[in-house]
Amino acid sequence: MRIAYLGPRGSFTHHVASQAFPEEELVSFKTITDVIKAFERGEVAHSVVPVENSIEGSVHETLDYLFHQADIHAVAEVIQPIAQQLMATSATKPIEVIYSHPQAIAQGKRYILEHYPQAKIEMTASTAYAARLVADNPAQPYAAIAPQAAASEYGLEVIAQDIQEMDENFTRFWILGKEQVCLPLESQVNKISLALTLPDNLPGALYKAMSVFAWRGIDLTKIESRPLKTALGEYYFILDAVHKEADLVGFALKELTSLGISYKILGYYLVYIVK
């Protein structure tokens, strides 16, 4: 079985994929969109994509593609603790350019501004790509923000450890597929993720959508608005809910429909933890 992930090797997504599917063939792709498209085209059985970071928020490339362009469901979620390291080919070399993924740069920005205020910041598609770029250019004054696994993978030296601004730093990853999977990880709760589109002619539409879940005692763990990309001021809403009782959730979805509120199921899944 082939599993797609945001690569190259040494990325956080690679680590999650290897923990979730230790016996399967892992296939690297350059962008989140490419990872999702690999599943759409039937090239892989599952795709592993980041969906939200506890510091920087949602990964919009993932959510927008799943809402606007795909009919694909998350069948499992894996939560990965995130620790960012600053690395280079040598701890003694000057650092003039620092490469990393935008979220990793944001997580380590305070440290960079304090210790390397003169360094130029360059964005890459993933933290592992940043590490590989630095390793491929040993004579250049380059450094990368990336996970510890990337330093080991590409023979880099860690200059500063755990430079993320907050210790409680986690990223949610979704495993996309056709059916729910049982992973060799510690599991927690079942959840469902929805994308709601509200009718224009329903006063208090968002309040009414929330009340559908509230009066049934269904715990919402997230609500976020994203542009519909149709007109200024038009949004869709992403909801995550704990899925304890299937009947209650089913009734809630029926009531949404009766109110004229459209919904798209983005995922129904068990949540797992990577230690």
Side-chain angles (χ1 to χ4, degrees):
M1 187 165 63
R2 288 159 57 89
I3 310 297
Y5 71 94
L6 179 63
R9 293 176 60 88
S11 67
F12 286 113
T13 317
H14 174 254
H15 182 255
V16 168
S18 63
Q19 294 295 304
F21 302 98
E23 304 299 326
E24 308 301 339
E25 179 186 358
L26 305 183
V27 186
S28 168
F29 291 86
K30 291 183 178 181
T31 69
I32 291 172
T33 297
D34 289 340
V35 175
I36 300 174
K37 284 184 175 180
F39 176 77
E40 281 188 299
R41 293 191 296 261
E43 297 175 7
V44 296
H46 297 284
S47 288
V48 183
V49 291
V51 67
E52 183 180 22
N53 177 260
S54 58
I55 296 176
E56 291 304 309
S58 294
V59 181
H60 296 149
E61 183 179 355
T62 298
L63 293 173
D64 285 349
Y65 192 93
L66 292 178
F67 175 73
H68 290 287
Q69 302 184 55
D71 187 18
I72 302 173
H73 293 159
V75 297
E77 176 175 294
V78 180
I79 299 176
Q80 164 75 57
I82 301 297
Q84 304 287 5
Q85 323 298 329
L86 183 66
M87 57 191 69
T89 53
S90 170
T92 59
K93 69 187 297 184
I95 296 176
E96 297 177 9
V97 184
I98 298 175
Y99 293 92
S100 197
H101 185 273
Q103 288 210 347
I105 289 171
Q107 292 161 19
K109 191 172 183 179
R110 182 182 300 174
Y111 180 91
I112 298 304
L113 290 177
E114 180 179 350
H115 294 86
Y116 300 96
Q118 80 292 345
K120 183 180 180 181
I121 306 298
E122 294 287 351
M123 310 291 187
T124 58
S126 76
T127 53
Y129 275 114
R132 191 171 71 177
L133 187 153
V134 171
D136 289 343
N137 295 274
Q140 299 298 323
Y142 294 166
I145 302 173
Q148 182 69 49
S152 302
E153 182 73 30
Y154 300 108
L156 299 177
E157 187 172 346
V158 174
I159 300 170
Q161 293 185 324
D162 300 342
I163 67 170
Q164 68 275 4
E165 294 183 15
M166 298 175 62
D167 292 333
E168 292 297 313
N169 189 0
F170 298 88
T171 295
R172 300 167 58 204
F173 293 84
W174 277 354
I175 295 174
L176 308 178
K178 294 181 179 178
E179 298 178 350
Q180 285 193 305
V181 292
C182 183
L183 305 180
L185 301 169
E186 178 185 337
S187 61
Q188 291 190 325
V189 297
N190 274 299
K191 290 170 60 179
I192 186 171
S193 292
L194 306 169
L196 305 185
T197 307
L198 307 180
D200 294 333
N201 60 348
L202 180 64
L206 181 58
Y207 167 78
K208 291 176 181 177
M210 298 303 98
S211 66
V212 163
F213 299 94
W215 76 263
R216 290 183 171 87
I218 299 172
D219 183 20
L220 295 181
T221 61
K222 173 182 178 175
I223 177 170
E224 178 184 359
S225 62
R226 289 289 301 148
L228 263 175
K229 302 183 179 180
T230 52
L232 187 65
E234 294 186 350
Y235 301 90
Y236 73 94
F237 294 85
I238 301 164
L239 271 65
D240 291 348
V242 176
H243 195 298
K244 289 183 179 179
E245 298 182 45
D247 288 345
L248 285 181
V249 173
F251 291 143
L253 298 181
K254 288 181 180 178
E255 186 173 351
L256 287 175
T257 301
S258 71
L259 290 169
I261 298 171
S262 300
Y263 67 87
K264 180 178 184 179
I265 296 177
L266 300 180
Y268 167 55
Y269 48 86
L270 188 60
V271 178
Y272 295 87
I273 302 291
V274 172
K275 297 296 186 180

